[in-house]
Every structure is written in structure tokens, then in C-alpha cells.
């Protein structure tokens, strides 16, 4: 079990700690040193980590979620673009997507172009942009 006490939140350290220690099945925790002042809460956290549990400071959780939102490749997509991408992931053609959404083929093509642009999938012959867009969707 590992319990990290830190003066401030370092998101990359928290990510690494959770990815390595947490996956090994042992207890893991990341608290800010300010929490040590509340002795009962600190001892409770220490007991939970020692028993194999996970304890994260609320500030750590907040920053981890904020980072995830910023790093989300789909974060720049509009709700309609996400809908189009979800239908692409189901294997629908642009024409089928247009029928499902009750829009024109041209509107779907525009959404698909915007998706490629926002996901930084440049038009080149070596890459299959539609496949890469769907993979980004499935990973998120």
C-alpha cells in the first residue's frame, strides 16, 4: 500500500500512482498535507489504504476530472457531431446517417468533415480518417 502526502496536486503523479499501484491490487492514496491536520480523518485514510482501499483528496479528484475533460479528444465536438460519430461507429454510411437523423447528405458530409478537423485527422492517402475517428470515439 502507498499513501502519498503532498503539498499540492500534481496530476501526472496521481495518474501514475493510480495506474501502477492501483492496478496491482494494493491500497493507494493521494492526500494533500492539509488533511493531516484532521487526525481522525488521516488515520481513517491510512487504515483504508492499509486494508487495500483507495483514498483520494477531493482536490485531487477534481483536478483529475478537469484534466480528463481537457484531454478528451471528443470534447470539441458538438452534440450533433457526436451523434454522427456514434452512428459512424455503428457502421452506418453517410446516406444512412442522413436518413436516421432526417438531414441531407450534405449536412452529414459537413459534420463528418468537422469531426475529422476537430480530431486532427488531416486528409492524406495513408490514413483512413473514418476508422481513426471511430477509434477515437470508442476510446473515449
Amino acid at each position: 500500500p502507498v499513501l502519498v502526502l503532498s503539498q499540492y496536486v500534481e496530476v501526472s503523479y496521481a495518474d501514475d500512482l493510480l495506474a501502477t499501484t492501483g492496478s496491482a491490487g494494493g491500497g493507494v492514496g493521494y492526500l494533500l498535507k492539509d488533511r493531516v491536520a484532521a487526525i481522525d480523518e488521516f488515520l481513517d485514510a491510512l487504515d483504508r489504504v492499509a486494508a487495500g482501499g483507495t483514498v483520494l483528496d477531493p482536490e485531487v479528484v477534481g483536478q483529475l476530472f478537469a484534466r480528463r475533460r481537457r484531454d478528451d479528444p471528443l470534447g470539441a465536438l458538438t452534440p450533433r457531431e457526436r451523434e454522427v460519430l456514434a452512428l459512424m461507429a455503428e457502421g452506418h454510411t453517410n446516406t444512412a446517417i442522413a436518413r436516421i437523423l432526417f438531414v441531407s447528405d450534405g449536412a452529414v458530409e459537413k459534420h463528418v468533415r468537422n469531426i475529422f478537423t476537430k480530431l486532427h485527422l488531416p486528409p492524406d492517402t495513408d490514413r483512413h480518417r473514418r476508422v481513426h475517428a471511430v477509434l477515437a470515439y470508442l476510446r473515449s
Side-chain angles (χ1 to χ4, degrees):
V2 175
L3 177 59
V4 173
L5 298 176
S6 180
Q7 184 68 30
Y8 59 93
V9 178
E10 178 56 54
V11 177
S12 63
Y13 294 159
D15 266 339
D16 290 345
L17 180 70
L18 291 170
T20 56
T21 310
S23 65
V28 62
Y30 191 121
L31 294 177
L32 295 180
K33 288 182 180 177
D34 297 344
R35 304 283 179 223
V36 178
I39 300 297
D40 290 338
E41 289 179 31
F42 173 68
L43 292 175
D44 178 56
L46 195 58
D47 287 340
R48 286 188 284 155
V49 170
T54 301
V55 176
L56 293 174
D57 193 280
E59 182 68 25
V60 173
V61 172
Q63 289 196 29
L64 284 170
F65 277 118
R67 179 178 178 188
R68 297 264 191 286
R69 282 192 299 272
R70 282 192 311 272
D71 293 345
D72 180 10
L74 305 183
L77 301 182
T78 66
R80 178 61 95 178
E81 290 164 351
R82 285 178 179 263
E83 193 174 12
V84 168
L85 183 55
L87 292 168
M88 287 169 53
E90 291 176 12
H92 295 287
T93 64
N94 285 1
T95 302
I97 293 170
R99 267 188 266 128
I100 292 167
L101 297 179
F102 300 102
V103 298
S104 70
D105 286 354
V108 172
E109 289 172 15
K110 180 181 174 192
H111 289 307
V112 171
R113 275 194 312 273
N114 288 342
I115 290 167
F116 292 159
T117 300
K118 291 177 180 180
L119 294 180
H120 309 290
L121 300 171
D124 60 15
T125 56
D126 294 13
R127 295 174 54 152
H128 300 282
R129 294 188 304 166
R130 196 171 183 99
V131 172
H132 285 281
V134 167
L135 288 173
Y137 172 77
L138 294 174
R139 288 182 187 126
S140 69

